[in-house]
Each structure stands twice: as structure tokens, then as C-alpha cells.
């Protein structure tokens, strides 16, 4: 059967379950690959690329509203979130993102996912609803090039220095006010007072390793650009507040630049890793055939691991564009569920399904392409009772899946994915097992509205 | 973007006439980074997790200290800083940005690099 799915994924990324609108651009996204979607067959690719560190990814495959415009459980809805990033992370040290021990990787990268569908295929003629629950995490997260690490540490320091400059300048304004309240003073005296104190400041000298000249020159430029209505000026609360507001407003441009550099460096150390990476995934499906919450059954569960390897190009100090991923997976089907939909004289006893697969991926600028192959080992015993006699037949249901995928990133918020290949085809039917899938993934939520194309 | 300035009469801390130390502690949440500076004889600056002395209670009694903060969140999440000011063995107050902020300029969650200011009146 030529299975054509044209679907729209809308990926919602936010940094807290508490609504917080931030006017910033989202980091680059990748196509959704949640265990909970995989276990109920809501995605074409089987081998999940290592997940980026995000807090919530929500994939909408169809509209949330039913034909009467009432809110309904969407047909094919996925959400994945990272509990660690939703936790309060009291006094978090950004340098710890480079820690790579087992426990840190496990906790920091643990993601939980939920997917719903009304198209869970039971056999070639029957489908039902299903909810998939999944969990995945990274046990070993590869390595980061030294130049990226150095840049990351440097931008963390620059960011903190800028925060210090802003708060200290305004504190020195308070100091000047305290010493000269109600007195007429030249603005140049105020500026000199601030600069002289900044020059002697221990925190700043430590941060700048004694190289204060550039810092002082930049701050001086900003202070001297602040317009005042009269000079000399009488030092009052209002004057000091206005002067502080003006400084903060002008200096924020520098702060924004450095913050953007830090965010880029943070993204790089999270994504541009080389060497071996290992993740584990668990997912379980639940079905509600009678649409009764109390009458639920679990049709299957799965446990799998991906081991990936990405070489490092030492001369360019960056990971290769090429990545290899190996998959090992166990899937257990619930015979009780399967046999509910078989003729009364027929039962199936299925063994554990064992998958072994390999995937090659290549990413270049906005395009990524991958090929994956999975071999499935699956034996089913069919038992038919006829005239009181039991007839057993062992069915070799070994099969394979082959998929070619192409992703194109239009912007940092929109990815179009195309998949073409062959599904496992574990059901004997005349419809075939060709899979073609086109999806558009749009990231929304924590980004500027103007970033979303009309 | 102006400094988010809290109402000057909002925060009050009743101190004793003893020589107990009065301190400030700054805790950051959800990946927030901060610098808080105040002038009281000299300029003192704190970052996340730091805890510094302001003065002793009988010297501070009857005065007001202005705290100047600058913050951002490289992870892109919400900015949250809890400032705790307390007298050892005495009273304490907490002021949280941005939940407790009630200044004239409305807090703008879209501001990536907020600067804020609050005053504590020691009585």
C-alpha cells in the first residue's frame, strides 16, 4: 500500500511550563523523533537521532479542533519535555554543561514524551486509538573541541563582566549622589568618578586579567554620549536616576551582543560534539478500544539503544558532517491485544521482536540526508483449533526496513522532511509496504511572531 | 529600555540596636545570571549564590540602601532572582525579581537583559 502522509509538525519550544514570552530567536531545530511516537508508529524513521537539549517539543500533526470547532484530543499529537530543564536549577553554573559523567548525562538529558493517535494499525483492516509514553536519555555525550570550549568559557566570562559593569556603574552613581547630593557638579566629574572607581575595581580587574584599557574606553564612550539638559548639573535623585537609565539603555546593546554570542557558544557545545554518543530509550503504548479509560490495554512496549559515532576533523577543529548510528532494539507485542482481533479459533504467540539497524547521516549547511536499514527478527506461532484439534504453525516473520530521509532547514524555525522507503510490512496484505512521508516542522512559542513566515 | 525601579517605600526591614551583622544573599533560578551592586561606604557586588555583609544593625538602622541588579538568562528561560536581606538572629525580608516587582514601569518578560533597582529601608 502506498502510504502517503502529508502532515504538519508544529514544534513548540518553551523553557518553562509557566507561560513566559521571550522576544528572541529559537535555536535551530531538528525533526521530531520521540520514543512515544516511534512505539505507535507515528513517524517514518525508526532510528532516532540524538536529541538536542530542549525542554519541550510539541509536534502537532493535525488540527486541535474537531468538526464542531470544539477542542479535542488531536489525532497524532506529540509532546516531549526535559524535567531537568524545567526544574529550578538553583544557582546553575553554565560551565557544568561540559560535564560528561554518566550520572550528569542521564539526569540532564532525560526526556519524557507522550504521543496520541487515532490511527494505530492493529492489522491490515483495523486501526484504533493509542497513546504512547516514552523516556529517553543520553548515557555518554561525546566530546567537544578545545577551541569551542575556550570560546564558551570566554563568553560566559564576558557576559558576567557586562552584568557587573551595568550594576556597578549604577552603584557608583548612587555613591556620587550620596557624596554630592544637592551640589552643582560638572558631568565630566561624575564620569571621571565612575571610571576611576571601575579602573580600581577588583572584580573587573580579575575578569579582564588586568587589561582594563578597552573596558574603560568603551564605558567612557557610552557615558560621554549621554545627553544632559545642563552642565554643570545639580545632583538630585531624578538626575541620577535618569543618568542611570540612559546608561543602561545604551549599554544594553553591548550586553545583547555578548549574550547572543554566549547563546551561540552554548548551542555549539551542545550540538557540535564528536566521538561516541550513547542513548537509551523506553516506550510503551496503551490503547482504549472502547474509548473507555478503565478499559485499556497495552499492545506493545519497546526498549532500545542508539550508539553513534561522529569523527572529528582535527585540522578544522570541528566534528565531521558525517555520523553513523547503530540501533539495537527489543519490542514485545501483547498477544492478548493481538488475539482480541483474530478469529476465535486462531491465536498468535509472538516472541520478542529484535531489531538491529544502522544509519548513516550527512549534514551540510541547511540540508541533511540519511539512509537507514533495520533487520527485524520476529517469529510468530499461529495456533488454529479445528474439530477440537490444535494445529501449530511457526511463521517466520523476519523482515527489514529501509528508509531514505532528506531534511531541509528553511530557517532556524522551519524544517521540511521527506522520507521514502520500505516499511517492515509485517502484515500480509495486497497494499504493499512502500512509505512516503512529507512533513513540515514549524517551531513556535518562544520566538518573535515576526520570525514565523506568513 | 529604562531600569525597572521598584517603589522606594515598598521594602522595609526592622533592625535591632545590637551589633548583629546584616547580610544579603542572592540566589538565581532557571539558569539566570546576575550581578547585584550596592553602595554603603563602598560599592559591593554579588553574583549568584553569594552572600555578603552590608553592615552591622545599629549602624544601618534608620538608613536606606539601593540595590542595583543586572540579569539575563543564556538558556532563554525566565529571569528569577531571590534577594534575601536579614539581620543575624533577627528579621529578614525577601525580594524576588520578577514576581515581587511592582514598579511604575511594567516588567517586560521580552527584555533579555533587564536592569532593575530596589531600595530597602532599615528602621
Amino acid at each position: 500500500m502506498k502510504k502517503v502522509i502529508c502532515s504538519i509538525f508544529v514544534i513548540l519550544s518553551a523553557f518553562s511550563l509557566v507561560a513566559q514570552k521571550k522576544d528572541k530567536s529559537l535555536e535551530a531545530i531538528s525533526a521530531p523523533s520521540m520514543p512515544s511516537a516511534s512505539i505507535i508508529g507515528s513517524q517514518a524513521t525508526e532510528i532516532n537521532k540524538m536529541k538536542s537539549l530542549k525542554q519541550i517539543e510539541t509536534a502537532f500533526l493535525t488540527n486541535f479542533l474537531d468538526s464542531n470547532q470544539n477542542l479535542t484530543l488531536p489525532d497524532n499529537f506529540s509532546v516531549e519535555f526535559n524535567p531537568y530543564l524545567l526544574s529550578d536549577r538553583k544557582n546553575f553554573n553554565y560551565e557544568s554543561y561540559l560535564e560528561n559523567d554518566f550520572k550528569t548525562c542521564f539526569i540532564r538529558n532525560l526526556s519524557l514524551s507522550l504521543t496520541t493517535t487515532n490511527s494505530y494499525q492493529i492489522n491490515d483492516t483495523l486501526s484504533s486509538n493509542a497513546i504512547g509514553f516514552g523516556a529517553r536519555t543520553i548515557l555518554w555525550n561525546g566530546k567537544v573541541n578545545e577551541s569551542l570550549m575556550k570560546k564558551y568559557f570566554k563568553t560566559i566570562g564576558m557576559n558576567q563582566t557586562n552584568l557587573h559593569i551595568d550594576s556597578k556603574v549604577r552603584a557608583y552613581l548612587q555613591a556620587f549622589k550620596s557624596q554630592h547630593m544637592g551640589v552643582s557638579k560638572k558631568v565630566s566629574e561624575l564620569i571621571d568618578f565612575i571610571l576611576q572607581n571601575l579602573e580600581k575595581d577588583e572584580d573587573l580587574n580579575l575578569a579582564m586579567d588586568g587589561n582594563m584599557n578597552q573596558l574603560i574606553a568603551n564605558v567612557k564612550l557610552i557615558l560621554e554620549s549621554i545627553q544632559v539638559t545642563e552642565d554643570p548639573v545639580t545632583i538630585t535623585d531624578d538626575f541620577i536616576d535618569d543618568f542611570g537609565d540612559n546608561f543602561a539603555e545604551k549599554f544594553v546593546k553591548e550586553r545583547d551582543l555578548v549574550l547572543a554570542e554566549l547563546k551561540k557558544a552554548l548551542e555549539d557545545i551542545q550540538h557540535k560534539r564528536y566521538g561516541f554518543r550513547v542513548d537509551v530509550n523506553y516506550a510503551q503504548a496503551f490503547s482504549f478500544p472502547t474509548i473507555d479509560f478503565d478499559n485499556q490495554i497495552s499492545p506493545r512496549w519497546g526498549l532500545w539503544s542508539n550508539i553513534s559515532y561522529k569523527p572529528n576533523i582535527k585540522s578544522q577543529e570541528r566534528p565531521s558532517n558525517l555520523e553513523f548510528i547503530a540501533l539495537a532494539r527489543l519490542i514485545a507485542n501483547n498477544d492478548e491485544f493481538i488475539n482480541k482481533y483474530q478469529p476465535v479459533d486462531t491465536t498468535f504467540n509472538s516472541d520478542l521482536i529484535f531489531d538491529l539497524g544502522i544509519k548513516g547521516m550527512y549534514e551540510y549547511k541547511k540540508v541533511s540526508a540519511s539512509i537507514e536499514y533495520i533487520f527485524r527478527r520476529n517469529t510468530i506461532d499461529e495456533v488454529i483449533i479445528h474439530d477440537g484439534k490444535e494445529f501449530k504453525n511457526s511463521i517466520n516473520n523476519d523482515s527489514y526496513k529501509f528508509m531514505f530521509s532528506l531534511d531541509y532547514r528553511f530557517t532556524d524555525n522551519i524544517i521540511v522532511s521527506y522520507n521514502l522507503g520500505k516499511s517492515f510490512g509485517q502484515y500480509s496484505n495486497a497494499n504493499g509496504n512502500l512509505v512516503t512521508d512529507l512533513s513540515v516542522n514549524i517551531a513556535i512559542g518562544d520566538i518573535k511572531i515576526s520570525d514565523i513566515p506568513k | 529600555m529604562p531600569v525597572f525601579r521598584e517603589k522606594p517605600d515598598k521594602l522595609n526591614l526592622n533592625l535591632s540596636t545590637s551589633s548583629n551583622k546584616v547580610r544579603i544573599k542572592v540566589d538565581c533560578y532557571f539558569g539566570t545570571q546576575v550581578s547585584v551592586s550596592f553602595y554603603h561606604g563602598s560599592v559591593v557586588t554579588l553574583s549568584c549564590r553569594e552572600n555578603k555583609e552590608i553592615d552591622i544593625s545599629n549602624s544601618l538602622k534608620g538608613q536606606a540602601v539601593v540595590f542595583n541588579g543586572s540579569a539575563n538568562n543564556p538558556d532563554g528561560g525566565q529571569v528569577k532572582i531571590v534577594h534575601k536581606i536579614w539581620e543575624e538572629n533577627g528579621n529578614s525580608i525577601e525580594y524576588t525579581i520578577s514576581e515581587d516587582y511592582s514598579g511604575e514601569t511594567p516588567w517586560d518578560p521580552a527584555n533579555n537583559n533587564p536592569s532593575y533597582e530596589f531600595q530597602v529601608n532599615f528602621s
Side-chain angles (χ1 to χ4, degrees):
Chain A
M1 175 181 71
K2 186 175 181 182
K3 188 170 155 192
V4 177
I5 302 167
C6 182
S7 50
I8 297 176
F9 289 79
V10 176
I11 299 180
L12 179 71
S13 181
F15 286 91
S16 172
L17 284 175
V18 175
Q20 175 84 17
K21 291 188 178 67
K22 285 288 197 181
D23 189 21
K24 65 167 187 65
S25 293
L26 198 67
E27 64 176 23
I29 57 169
S30 51
S33 55
M34 305 158 203
S36 58
S38 180
I39 198 69
I40 58 175
S42 284
Q43 62 186 67
T45 55
E46 291 279 349
I47 302 177
N48 300 330
K49 189 175 184 294
M50 294 297 175
K51 183 187 174 297
S52 60
L53 194 67
K54 288 192 188 289
Q55 295 167 327
I56 295 178
E57 288 182 3
T58 303
F60 295 86
L61 300 181
T62 56
N63 204 303
F64 269 110
L65 302 177
D66 64 16
S67 56
N68 297 319
Q69 301 299 299
N70 295 316
L71 279 173
T72 184
L73 189 67
D75 186 13
N76 298 318
F77 165 86
S78 288
V79 60
E80 184 170 33
F81 66 94
N82 182 314
Y84 172 77
L85 289 181
L86 293 177
S87 65
D88 65 17
R89 291 192 291 151
K90 188 176 176 183
N91 297 321
F92 179 69
N93 181 350
Y94 277 85
E95 293 184 5
S96 67
Y97 268 135
L98 289 167
E99 288 167 11
N100 206 19
D101 58 283
F102 171 82
K103 186 180 168 188
T104 303
C105 275
F106 186 95
I107 294 169
R108 187 167 294 162
N109 295 292
L110 177 65
S111 292
L112 305 176
S113 58
L114 166 76
T115 301
T116 68
T117 182
N118 294 320
S119 312
Y120 179 67
Q121 193 174 8
I122 299 166
N123 58 34
D124 55 322
T125 56
L126 272 178
S127 64
S128 175
N129 57 52
I131 294 177
F133 293 100
R136 60 175 165 172
T137 189
I138 296 173
L139 302 181
W140 179 258
N141 204 13
K143 296 177 185 175
V144 179
N145 273 301
E146 193 151 330
S147 59
L148 277 184
M149 273 200 288
K150 280 183 182 165
K151 187 179 172 188
Y152 181 59
F153 288 133
K154 185 180 171 191
T155 49
I156 289 173
M158 282 167 61
N159 186 56
Q160 189 63 56
T161 300
N162 277 348
L163 294 176
H164 282 331
I165 290 172
D166 187 74
S167 74
K168 284 175 189 285
V169 164
R170 289 186 287 117
Y172 284 120
L173 283 171
Q174 297 291 332
F176 192 83
K177 181 179 79 173
S178 162
Q179 294 167 25
H180 304 290
M181 186 66 162
V183 176
S184 177
K185 284 285 180 185
K186 284 188 181 169
V187 174
S188 58
E189 286 182 75
L190 168 63
I191 292 174
D192 287 344
F193 174 82
I194 293 170
L195 294 176
Q196 282 160 17
N197 278 287
L198 286 181
E199 209 158 10
K200 292 182 294 186
D201 190 276
E202 279 183 21
D203 294 326
L204 293 179
N205 271 284
L206 193 65
M208 301 302 290
D209 201 20
N211 298 322
M212 291 290 288
N213 291 343
Q214 190 60 51
L215 184 153
I216 297 298
N218 288 345
V219 174
K220 183 179 179 186
L221 211 61
I222 294 172
L223 289 170
E224 288 178 345
S225 73
I226 296 172
Q227 304 275 341
V228 294
T229 51
E230 54 180 5
D231 192 5
V233 63
T234 304
I235 303 301
T236 60
D237 285 333
D238 285 345
F239 170 76
I240 292 295
D241 284 352
D242 285 345
F243 202 88
D245 286 355
N246 274 301
F247 175 79
E249 195 165 336
K250 286 174 184 288
F251 188 57
V252 82
K253 293 184 185 76
E254 172 64 22
R255 286 172 62 185
D256 283 343
L257 275 172
V258 170
L259 180 62
E261 277 182 42
L262 174 53
K263 287 183 175 179
K264 178 71 176 64
L266 177 56
E267 187 186 327
D268 284 346
I269 61 123
Q270 287 170 347
H271 297 300
K272 291 183 180 176
R273 292 187 171 239
Y274 68 91
F276 284 102
R277 295 171 77 193
V278 181
D279 78 4
V280 287
N281 303 256
Y282 175 79
Q284 186 153 1
F286 292 90
S287 181
F288 303 84
T290 59
I291 320 183
D292 177 356
F293 187 82
D294 292 322
N295 185 20
Q296 52 88 4
I297 189 166
S298 173
R300 70 195 322 212
W301 62 263
L303 175 68
W304 64 100
S305 174
N306 296 298
I307 300 173
S308 75
Y309 179 72
K310 190 178 261 200
N312 187 36
I313 303 177
K314 280 186 184 171
S315 57
Q316 295 175 28
E317 286 199 294
R318 64 169 183 86
S320 167
N321 293 335
L322 195 57
E323 185 175 9
F324 299 98
I325 307 173
L327 163 77
R329 179 167 60 192
L330 275 176
I331 296 176
N333 284 313
N334 185 343
D335 292 336
E336 187 189 337
F337 177 83
I338 294 170
N339 289 324
K340 277 182 186 306
Y341 301 94
Q342 305 305 324
V344 292
D345 57 356
T346 306
T347 57
F348 287 99
N349 297 315
S350 56
D351 285 339
L352 286 175
I353 296 171
F354 185 61
D355 293 340
L356 266 182
I358 190 152
K359 180 173 187 170
M361 288 188 60
Y362 188 82
E363 288 182 89
Y364 182 70
K365 294 186 179 175
K366 293 192 172 194
V367 179
S368 68
S370 66
I371 297 177
E372 68 180 45
Y373 173 86
I374 305 173
F375 174 75
R376 170 161 288 179
R377 177 85 172 82
N378 184 18
T379 305
I380 300 174
D381 291 329
E382 182 183 23
V383 179
I384 299 173
I385 299 173
H386 180 67
D387 284 341
K389 289 183 189 169
E390 202 176 85
F391 296 88
K392 253 189 202 177
N393 178 29
S394 188
I395 305 169
N396 184 330
N397 209 26
D398 291 353
S399 61
Y400 72 92
K401 180 171 180 176
F402 170 86
M403 198 64 63
F404 168 74
S405 302
L406 195 62
D407 292 343
Y408 182 78
R409 184 181 294 118
F410 276 100
T411 68
D412 282 351
N413 316 104
I414 300 176
I415 284 181
V416 174
S417 301
Y418 178 71
N419 299 294
L420 171 68
K422 171 197 170 295
S423 181
F424 284 111
Q426 53 262 55
Y427 302 110
S428 268
N429 59 77
N431 294 321
N433 48 28
L434 176 67
V435 172
T436 66
D437 175 279
L438 176 69
S439 62
V440 177
N441 309 291
I442 305 171
I444 64 170
D446 207 21
I447 58 169
K448 290 177 280 194
I449 298 297
S450 56
D451 285 345
I452 303 174
K454 306 276 184 264
Chain B
M1 196 69 73
V3 172
F4 295 104
R5 194 166 279 114
E6 182 55 84
K7 296 189 183 92
D9 55 357
K10 173 164 175 159
L11 300 166
N12 301 287
L13 182 62
N14 201 13
L15 300 180
S16 69
T17 52
S18 68
S19 303
N20 291 338
K21 289 180 186 170
V22 178
R23 305 185 72 90
I24 174 170
K25 184 171 192 285
V26 173
D27 285 313
C28 305
Y29 294 83
F30 304 117
T32 301
Q33 303 287 278
V34 81
S35 172
V36 179
S37 297
F38 65 91
Y39 172 72
H40 183 66
S42 64
V43 167
V44 176
T45 302
L46 300 93
S47 303
C48 297
R49 190 198 294 268
E50 288 188 329
N51 171 347
K52 291 194 179 175
E53 184 183 332
I54 304 171
D55 203 342
I56 56 173
S57 59
N58 58 18
S59 296
L60 209 44
K61 204 168 166 66
Q63 297 195 44
V65 176
V66 172
F67 297 89
N68 303 277
S70 302
N72 60 32
N73 190 327
D75 262 338
Q78 63 171 314
V79 162
K80 179 176 174 180
I81 308 121
V82 175
H83 313 79
K84 183 179 175 184
I85 299 117
W86 77 102
E87 175 186 350
E88 287 176 348
N89 304 313
N91 298 321
S92 68
I93 54 164
E94 269 188 18
Y95 179 68
T96 301
I97 288 287
S98 60
E99 283 138 41
D100 293 339
Y101 174 77
S102 57
E104 202 174 298
T105 307
W107 186 269
D108 180 9
N111 186 336
N112 287 332
N113 265 307
S115 298
Y116 62 91
E117 180 188 301
F118 63 94
Q119 176 173 304
V120 175
N121 305 302
F122 297 100
S123 54

